[in-house]
Amino acid sequence: MILRTERLVLRPPQAHDLEALHHIFSNTQAMRFWSHPAHETLEETQKTLDGMLWSHRETGLEFVVERDGVVIGKAGLWRLAELGYILHPDHWRQGLAREALRAIIDATWDKYPAQLEITADIDPRNSASAHLLAHLGFKLTHSARATIQINGKWYDSDYYTLLRPDPDGP
């Protein structure tokens, strides 16, 4: 499945995406709130890409995000139905993540009609991501302390849920 928005193409990950994804996953600013440190080697990014390939086979909704033919990030359901996303900082604050996630959310409801919710978890220090999720209709359900350890330091998590819209609703 390929999703197209006004400015983006969301397509399945492919083996040749390694270097483009490494450009994102090796960026310390992009990875500041991610669940592991910025990648130092292509081998680290290869493991992430392998996970994306597996995830796409499982959900059909794990995507590389392209703008004007250039890979600028990844977004999708890495397992049913947990949303994950990252864009290179050069593409922040332009509404691109919202555009990509809206397409993925709509595709999730279409592909999985029995799926009642989509979840996401973020680092609570990531206010831009919290704002994005709220804008998309996600609700903060709970928070937990010391959930992820990166380079010997523990970080907290906020957990969000988006419920399937009621077709008979307002």
Side-chain angles (χ1 to χ4, degrees):
M1 169 188 317
I2 295 176
L3 305 176
R4 296 180 193 282
T5 69
E6 183 179 330
R7 300 175 289 174
L8 303 172
V9 173
L10 288 78
R11 62 164 177 78
Q14 299 172 5
H16 72 267
D17 291 322
L18 178 62
E19 288 190 24
L21 289 170
H22 185 68
H23 179 66
I24 298 158
F25 283 99
S26 64
N27 183 290
T28 56
Q29 189 177 5
M31 297 294 285
R32 182 176 50 191
F33 299 119
W34 201 255
S35 59
H36 52 77
H39 295 180
E40 294 181 7
T41 67
L42 279 173
E43 289 75 23
E44 290 172 289
T45 305
Q46 182 65 59
K47 288 178 186 175
T48 297
L49 177 56
D50 291 344
M52 290 172 64
L53 294 165
W54 174 87
S55 179
H56 187 76
R57 284 190 301 274
E58 292 294 310
T59 69
L61 294 167
E62 178 78 71
F63 300 99
V64 167
V65 179
E66 289 185 348
R67 183 179 192 188
D68 299 325
V70 175
V71 174
I72 65 166
K74 76 162 235 59
L77 299 184
W78 66 274
R79 63 180 176 195
L80 198 59
E82 186 166 339
L83 189 65
Y85 49 92
I86 187 169
L87 293 181
H88 190 278
D90 291 349
H91 302 278
W92 289 357
R93 307 221 183 278
Q94 300 172 44
L96 298 171
R98 182 176 58 236
E99 190 173 320
L101 295 183
R102 174 53 47 212
I104 292 165
I105 290 166
D106 291 345
T108 300
W109 300 145
D110 289 344
K111 183 173 175 123
Y112 296 102
Q115 185 64 37
L116 299 178
E117 66 182 28
I118 299 171
T119 63
D121 69 89
I122 64 168
D123 185 315
R125 299 171 300 156
N126 190 344
S127 59
S129 196
H131 179 76
L132 170 62
L133 291 174
H135 180 82
L136 291 168
F138 282 78
K139 304 292 184 208
L140 177 64
T141 59
H142 63 286
S143 300
R145 295 187 45 77
T147 56
I148 296 173
Q149 187 178 29
I150 303 170
N151 291 334
K153 184 172 179 177
W154 285 96
Y155 294 92
D156 302 339
S157 293
D158 281 347
Y159 297 91
Y160 289 79
T161 299
L162 175 68
L163 298 178
R164 175 184 283 279
D166 183 350
D168 300 322

